[in-house]
Amino acid sequence: MSVINLTLDNLRLPGLPNFTPDFGTKEAEGVSVTTENVCKDVMLPFTVERPVFVNENSSTSEVQTSRTLILSQSAITLSIGRPSFASCKLTLKAAFVSGYATVTYSKAENVTQTIYLRPGDCVELVGNTSLYFEVNSAATVGEHNGIFRGKCLNGAPESLYPILPIGNTKNLPGGGYTIEQVLANIAAGNFADIYPGDYFIDSNNKVYRIAGLDTELNKGDTAMTSHHAVIVPDFALTNMGWNPTNTTAGGYASSAIQAYCDGAGQTAIEGVFGAAHVLTCRDLLSSDMNASAASPGYSAWQGVASSWGWFSHKVRLMSEVEVYGARVWSGGYDIGTANEQFPLFRLMPQLATGLRYSYWLSGIAGAVSACFVDSYGNADSSGTSLALGVRVRFLVG
């Protein structure tokens, strides 16, 4: 008769040759397994998979097997609980932490090494070694522009704000700030708790989302020197034609839609953020159109932006590059200083093309047509008299 051993005494995990899991209890024949061991056998594999949350000014004395460590902005010390965990790995998860973690750890006895870890990086756990993690809270703006978070900055801290119009990926409590507090931090260049994807809500729960931080710094014939956040609402301020007369003559600078942005659109934005906090910037806008030149997007069409000029404004439409990261139907004179894709759309492109409504862009596609983002998600163009959404961008600080 064959005897099959169904215990887990000799279980080995792939990639972890030195690790023997602390579960699977075997007793001598006739000796029953205790309730404590049964509970351990059932729960330990689940517990091992759970992340270790490390809050401010705290430490954990033991890290088990391949774990996920979630850090706050503080220094902590970790020790590996048992020598059997040699060659296991600790994975750093810090999506809500700015910057990186500085880690001093031992790869061998009496040999230490300091490295920098980004979220998702791993560090190998060796024997009974101690690790020292220090999270760098003085992250650069560039590091913040590389992280999508999606937190309601002026929402109550105890409340969850799952406001993503296309497929929630975040359920984060509100930041608990007032709009004034956040804007004061932005103006001071303090982005410690501010990331692309974060947003403000107004009294009607409409979402004004951060598209980038300091992306316009030092641009313009008069340099933009104020720290700022670029805001792009999730919604359209109104629906209207780019030009009701079905022409792109005079370029974007002469369009009816930019006139709206400079008037009623600006008034609406300042009503939420305050006139002093909505910044004036200098931008190159297309100022003329050659009706006999071939369109850059489709050679069979006629009409292309043929000149540009410097204009002061607070509110404007986005360019194709700011949305898609490239020109599609528009020409070089349509781009000017609006020449880089916003971090928001690089990190979460669905917020550019997955909103299920059509909205105008600033580019000219032909003598009678302008560029827009279609409700189906495609880059499109149409006659300028068509009533589409006015989704704007502006700077606050």
Side-chain angles (χ1 to χ4, degrees), residues 242-243 247-248 251-253 255 257-258 284-286 288-289 295-297 301 303-305 316-324 326-336 338 359-373 380-384:
W242 201 90
N243 255 345
T247 181
T248 57
Y252 173 66
S255 67
I257 205 164
Q258 183 56 39
L284 274 176
L285 305 181
S286 64
D288 203 356
M289 184 270 296
S295 167
W301 296 346
V304 59
R316 60 161 290 180
L317 296 186
M318 293 179 283
S319 71
E320 284 191 309
V321 172
E322 287 175 326
V323 174
Y324 310 127
R327 288 191 292 116
V328 183
W329 302 101
S330 60
Y333 282 110
D334 292 302
I335 306 305
Y359 59 91
W360 286 114
L361 300 176
S362 61
I364 290 172
V368 298
S369 59
C371 305
F372 73 94
V373 177
D380 211 338
S381 65
S382 182
T384 64

Side-chain angles (χ1 to χ4, degrees), residues 40-188:
K40 182 171 66 173
D41 294 348
V42 173
M43 291 303 298
L44 188 60
F46 169 72
T47 303
V48 165
E49 291 299 320
R50 298 179 64 190
V52 177
F53 288 83
V54 182
N55 298 316
E56 271 189 58
N57 303 318
S58 66
S59 63
T60 179
S61 60
E62 183 175 308
V63 177
Q64 301 179 44
T65 150
S66 295
R67 302 301 299 268
T68 295
L69 178 69
I70 299 180
L71 299 173
S72 68
Q73 295 181 12
S74 60
I76 62 169
T77 300
L78 304 177
S79 64
I80 289 68
R82 294 188 293 275
S84 61
F85 290 125
S87 299
C88 295
K89 291 184 177 180
L90 185 74
T91 303
L92 179 67
K93 297 291 185 183
F96 61 94
V97 174
S98 59
Y100 51 83
T102 304
V103 183
T104 301
Y105 71 109
S106 295
K107 297 187 71 173
E109 188 175 357
N110 299 322
V111 178
T112 61
Q113 182 174 345
T114 298
I115 59 173
Y116 299 99
L117 292 184
R118 302 285 178 177
D121 288 347
C122 296
V123 60
E124 188 174 6
L125 310 185
V126 180
N128 227 4
T129 303
S130 292
L131 296 90
Y132 175 76
F133 284 73
E134 184 175 357
V135 177
N136 173 25
S137 60
T140 65
V141 171
E143 289 171 321
H144 278 245
N145 277 333
I147 297 174
F148 176 92
R149 184 171 64 172
K151 183 175 186 176
C152 180
L153 295 173
N154 64 323
E158 68 277 7
S159 300
L160 295 178
Y161 289 83
I163 303 179
L164 278 179
I166 37 82
N168 280 341
T169 58
K170 301 285 182 184
N171 285 292
L172 297 175
Y177 305 103
T178 65
I179 291 180
E180 284 286 337
Q181 287 173 327
V182 178
L183 296 182
N185 284 338
I186 291 172

